[in-house]
Amino acid sequence: MSRNIHYKSHLDTTPPEYNGPLSPLDKSSFQKSIPILAVRVPASQTATVLNSDITRQYLIGIPKIRPVVRNPSDPDGDRLVLLKIKSQAEIPPGPLKFLESKSNGFVDYVLNLDYDYWTASEILQAVLPETLREGAPVGFATTGHVAHMNLNDEYLPYKKTIGQIFLDKNKLIKTVVNKLDNIDTQFRVFDMEVLAGEPNFIVEHHESDCRFTFDFSQVYWNSRLHTEHDRIVNLLKPGEVLADVFAGVGPFAIPAAKNKSCAVLANDLNPQSSKYLSKNAQDNEVSDLVRVSCEDGRTFIRDAFHEVYNSPFPSFTGPKPSKTLARKLQKQARNAVATTPASDSEPLLPRKTINHFVMNLPDTAILFLDAFKGVITSQEMKDAYEGKMPLVHCHCFTRELEQHNAEVDIRKRVEEKLGHAPKECNIMHVRSVAPNKEMYCISFRLLPEIVFA
């Protein structure tokens, strides 16, 4: 009876069943030896064997296992090309003849796998009870060196084990935490429990070519909003003025200043957020463009118009050069001979008006919109904003799952707080937060009849 040329054998590389202690895990219990067949191939012929269509389907093809290794009994001699079969009888005549022509025979080889080989998910499948394996956690969100997850109640008895496995399998992670249900409703800060690693919450996180430092246990940060941060910043034109009502540690404010040379009023009620916001502005060399405050959002909105008008930002003269380029330009200026005549062009005006407000407090941001009513009182400020009212980007939650219904719900709530239907309105879906909770961002232009008293 002829053998099927497409026959493939499968090696069982799943981890062994585990019956040891859960905390700490007995990592030495995760050992598996798999006998396979190897071909002794001269070094000059290994590429030919590896790239041949005739033999490719018989190569080991297992993640993290190199298909070519040195021969333990003759390290300087032939290489061993590993196959995913156990005997020559499993190789059809054609491929067998090819391998024999390119090699110096076959040898038995033992593939030894240990704890370091398997992924976190594979280890969990071996450790957890069978009833919990299907819904087992498969990943986590990261902020700097901290991995954070939200474990369901049924996995809490195994939380330390889960934390240790994820710590072992991710070399850049130093701390694994589980977010608890308790949340500070004023500052949006989660209580969290350290599952594994060091209890260090001061993180350095990189996003949008900016460096952010903050205490993850004391401020709000959501790495899943990276795309939304970039989307809003990309809406800004270079040199515009942004008022960030709920700025946190600066995921909108810092990139707007650093990447778009925007002037920013950045506010957050949480003193810890304001502290790290100031640090991040300094670390990213935009302290001259970012003014930090720590006050209630409604107060900030009412003060922002007057702040920028009475203490304007310097005029926009173009993108801010990097620190290296700035030093080079300064050196050139010192060495230059002052022979260029003064320019006759009109001087650039200081920035006295706000172009955008961003309100990223989705649980309650809409409730703050009434602060825009009658906020501009002087005729001079009215003249300054005539024809160039700010755009507002307001994040919010809705329980409406269908997009049309969600938009109707959001428009209605915004109109109730403003006293007018929003104009130039655009509503973007941001993310699904929970099975019955969606996050959106509504962008609209303020109307003179709203802000002019």
Side-chain angles (χ1 to χ4, degrees):
M1 183 174 64
S2 62
R3 288 173 289 185
N4 187 345
I5 194 170
H6 298 294
Y7 169 78
K8 294 183 180 180
S9 63
H10 298 278
L11 303 177
D12 180 12
T13 59
T14 58
E17 288 291 330
Y18 180 76
N19 297 308
L22 291 178
S23 184
L25 281 179
D26 179 9
K27 298 178 185 179
S28 65
S29 296
F30 291 91
Q31 301 282 342
K32 195 165 193 176
S33 297
I34 305 174
I36 59 174
L37 192 67
V39 190
R40 291 175 49 211
V41 179
S44 61
Q45 295 294 318
T46 55
T48 302
V49 173
L50 292 176
N51 297 324
S52 172
D53 292 335
I54 300 175
T55 58
R56 187 173 296 151
Q57 63 177 312
Y58 301 101
L59 300 179
I60 188 71
I62 295 177
K64 298 192 289 187
I65 299 297
R66 297 174 58 190
V68 179
V69 298
R70 292 185 180 275
N71 189 342
S73 60
D74 186 11
D76 297 325
D78 294 338
R79 301 295 188 262
L80 297 185
V81 176
L82 307 183
L83 307 178
K84 59 180 176 184
I85 54 180
K86 297 181 179 181
S87 68
Q88 295 181 48
E90 299 177 59
I91 309 175
L96 179 61
K97 183 177 180 180
F98 175 81
L99 287 173
E100 289 176 338
S101 69
K102 301 296 181 182
S103 71
N104 292 319
F106 296 87
V107 295
D108 292 328
Y109 186 86
V110 177
L111 191 64
N112 292 310
L113 307 180
D114 58 17
Y115 180 82
D116 292 335
Y117 170 77
W118 288 289
T119 65
S121 294
E122 289 172 326
I123 296 293
L124 279 177
Q125 291 298 309
V127 168
L128 294 174
E130 190 170 351
T131 55
L132 296 180
R133 292 176 184 176
E134 184 176 348
V138 295
F140 47 81
T142 60
T143 302
H145 67 270
V146 177
H148 45 98
M149 58 184 68
N150 302 83
L151 293 177
N152 294 334
D153 290 345
E154 60 268 29
Y155 293 97
L156 293 180
Y158 307 92
K159 60 187 179 182
K160 296 291 186 180
T161 303
I162 293 171
Q164 187 61 52
I165 291 172
F166 279 120
L167 183 68
D168 291 341
K169 297 300 179 177
N170 298 273
K171 302 308 179 186
L172 298 180
I173 297 300
K174 304 299 181 185
T175 307
V176 181
V177 302
N178 181 42
K179 286 185 176 180
L180 305 178
D181 291 336
N182 301 329
I183 181 172
D184 184 308
T185 54
Q186 184 180 28
F187 297 147
R188 298 185 292 170
V189 176
F190 284 93
D191 282 343
M192 56 187 68
E193 177 186 12
V194 176
L195 303 183
E198 56 194 48
N200 175 18
F201 298 111
I202 306 297
V203 303
E204 181 177 297
H205 189 82
H206 294 263
E207 180 178 299
S208 304
D209 295 324
C210 300
R211 174 164 59 97
F212 297 92
T213 302
F214 50 90
D215 186 334
F216 185 59
S217 67
Q218 297 295 319
V219 306
Y220 178 82
W221 180 276
N222 191 335
S223 298
R224 294 186 178 94
L225 292 177
H226 181 188
T227 301
E228 180 64 5
H229 298 156
D230 284 347
R231 185 185 75 85
I232 295 294
V233 172
N234 287 334
L235 295 176
L236 310 179
K237 295 178 181 178
E240 288 190 321
V241 177
L242 169 69
D244 192 346
V245 185
F246 313 108
V249 297
F252 294 106
I254 302 302
K258 185 174 183 179
N259 302 333
K260 289 294 188 76
S261 296
C262 289
V264 185
L265 294 181
N267 173 72
D268 201 275
L269 183 62
N270 183 348
Q272 288 293 315
S273 294
S274 296
K275 180 181 79 171
Y276 286 106
L277 178 55
S278 296
K279 175 176 173 53
N280 293 330
Q282 181 177 359
D283 290 347
N284 288 277
E285 301 176 12
V286 292
S287 294
D288 57 328
L289 290 174
V290 179
R291 298 180 188 173
V292 177
S293 59
C294 180
E295 57 189 8
D296 174 74
R298 186 170 277 102
T299 302
F300 171 78
I301 290 172
R302 301 196 69 85
D303 290 346
F305 291 88
H306 302 276
E307 162 73 17
V308 176
Y309 187 81
N310 295 323
S311 300
F313 286 95
S315 58
F316 174 59
T317 58
K320 184 177 180 180
S322 66
K323 194 171 183 179
T324 301
L325 179 58
R327 286 197 296 264
K328 182 178 179 181
L329 293 175
Q330 290 172 357
K331 183 177 180 181
Q332 291 174 347
R334 287 195 299 267
N335 296 334
V337 178
T339 58
T340 305
S343 173
D344 293 330
S345 60
E346 293 184 6
L348 296 172
L349 298 176
R351 289 174 277 185
K352 302 179 69 172
T353 58
I354 297 171
N355 304 100
H356 298 263
F357 280 85
V358 62
M359 304 174 67
N360 183 28
L361 187 67
D363 197 43
T364 57
I366 288 178
L367 302 180
F368 288 78
L369 293 177
D370 59 3
F372 288 105
K373 292 181 179 180
V375 73
I376 296 179
T377 56
S378 71
Q379 188 59 49
E380 292 83 359
M381 286 182 64
K382 290 180 181 180
D383 293 340
Y385 278 97
E386 191 67 43
K388 51 178 181 179
M389 300 300 296
L391 281 169
V392 177
H393 311 283
C394 180
H395 294 88
C396 56
F397 292 138
T398 179
R399 297 290 180 180
E400 298 290 346
L401 303 184
E402 198 275 322
Q403 175 127 359
H404 172 75
N405 294 338
E407 292 184 3
V408 170
D409 170 58
I410 294 167
R411 285 174 185 267
K412 178 182 177 182
R413 289 154 55 200
V414 169
E415 183 174 352
E416 288 174 351
K417 299 306 291 185
L418 290 176
H420 293 269
K423 301 297 183 182
E424 297 183 38
C425 183
N426 179 53
I427 301 179
M428 292 288 295
H429 180 260
V430 177
R431 59 185 290 259
S432 295
V433 178
N436 295 303
K437 192 175 185 180
E438 302 295 318
M439 180 177 174
Y440 282 82
C441 178
I442 178 171
S443 297
F444 60 91
R445 192 172 298 280
L446 288 170
L447 299 174
E449 48 265 43
I450 295 173
V451 300
F452 292 169

